[in-house]
């Protein structure tokens, strides 16, 4: 239907919206978009939901939706947010209420924003864990601004769940390329 097609085109624009922390982190990472961030947040959310024994579907969808309003408002870092008023509730209503899904996405997006349910808190943890991963990747590349930011996050401050705090600590112990060290080979398989 027309509304669904419009929505999906709008979702696609998130690939083109650079994350605003590039300004304050002094990092010109063109691969870091709202879409790439939301993708990893959704997968982190799935993992955290399983660890915390809550509904992984809800957490994953919240992760996919958590920055959807930025398709219309743009992304804003903490400096911007001090001076700019974003009408996120209005945006989410306009984006989601008319979809033919019976309002399910709107309900989940609203639940995430209230941050009252365990699932919404875990989805927020996933959002912050993605930022910790990104900061650690930048630190590994020598970014001193990212190193300062990461110092405030490496012990899991501001995270709701023990699972997220433990994951944050593990992330900060690792080098970003460790995941492939045991699978690297110079032999091609035939």
């Amino acid at each position: 239907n027309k509304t669904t097609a419009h929505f999906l085109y709008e979702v696609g624009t998130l690939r083109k919206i650079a994350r605003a922390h590039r300004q304050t982190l002094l990092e010109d990472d063109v691969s870091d978009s709202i879409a790439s961030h939301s993708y990893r947040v959704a997968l982190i959310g799935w993992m955290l939901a399983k660890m915390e024994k809550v509904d992984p579907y809800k957490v994953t969808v919240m992760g996919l939706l958590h920055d959807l309003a930025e398709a219309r408002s743009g992304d804003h870092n903490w400096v911007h947010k001090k001076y700019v008023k974003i009408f996120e509730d209005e945006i989410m209503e306009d984006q989601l209420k008319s979809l033919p899904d019976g309002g399910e996405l709107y309900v989940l997006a609203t639940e995430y924003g209230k941050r009252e349910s365990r699932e919404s808190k875990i989805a927020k943890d996933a959002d912050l864990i993605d930022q910790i991963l990104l900061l650690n990747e930048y630190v590994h590349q020598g970014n001193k601004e990212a190193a300062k930011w990461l110092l405030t996050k490496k012990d899991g401050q501001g995270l709701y769940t023990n699972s997220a705090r433990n994951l944050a600590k593990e992330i900060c112990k690792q080098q970003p390329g460790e995941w492939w060290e045991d699978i690297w080979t110079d032999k091609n398989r035939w």
Side-chain angles (χ1 to χ4, degrees), residues 51-65:
M51 291 176 203
E52 291 291 320
K53 297 178 177 30
V54 300
D55 184 350
Y57 167 81
K58 281 180 72 173
V59 175
T60 300
V61 174
M62 286 178 186
L64 290 170
L65 296 173

Side-chain angles (χ1 to χ4, degrees), residues 7 18 80 112 114 121 134 138 140 167 171 177 183 185-186 190:
F7 174 72
H80 301 151
Y112 173 78
K114 289 180 182 174
K121 291 175 181 179
L134 187 71
Y138 290 167
H140 183 69
L167 183 56
I171 288 165
I183 58 174
T185 181
D186 59 356
W190 298 96

Side-chain angles (χ1 to χ4, degrees), residues 62-63 65-67 88-89 92 105-117 119-121 123-124 160:
M62 286 178 186
L65 296 173
H66 85 284
D67 281 341
E88 190 166 327
D89 294 339
M92 295 301 278
L105 291 178
Y106 179 71
V107 168
L108 289 172
T110 302
E111 181 180 335
Y112 173 78
K114 289 180 182 174
R115 212 85 79 240
E116 294 171 351
S117 67
E119 289 85 358
S120 65
K121 291 175 181 179
K124 183 58 181 175
Y160 289 102

Side-chain angles (χ1 to χ4, degrees), residues 94-160:
D94 288 349
Q95 286 175 315
L96 300 173
K97 260 204 164 166
S98 64
L99 291 175
D101 72 338
E104 186 176 356
L105 291 178
Y106 179 71
V107 168
L108 289 172
T110 302
E111 181 180 335
Y112 173 78
K114 289 180 182 174
R115 212 85 79 240
E116 294 171 351
S117 67
R118 286 199 67 216
E119 289 85 358
S120 65
K121 291 175 181 179
I122 291 166
K124 183 58 181 175
D125 279 354
D127 181 29
L128 295 173
I129 291 288
D130 180 59
Q131 189 65 24
I132 292 168
L133 283 159
L134 187 71
L135 289 169
N136 201 39
E137 291 163 355
Y138 290 167
V139 167
H140 183 69
Q141 296 169 21
N143 184 313
K144 292 178 183 176
E145 286 297 317
K148 287 192 313 192
W149 284 31
L150 189 57
L151 278 177
T152 67
K153 307 232 181 280
K154 42 183 358 172
D155 65 354
Q157 285 181 0
L159 296 168
Y160 289 102

Side-chain angles (χ1 to χ4, degrees), residues 17-25 32 34 75-77 80:
I17 301 174
R19 295 182 66 212
H21 63 232
R22 293 169 60 183
Q23 176 187 12
T24 51
L25 282 176
D32 187 27
I34 300 302
D75 189 24
H76 299 275
N77 62 37
H80 301 151

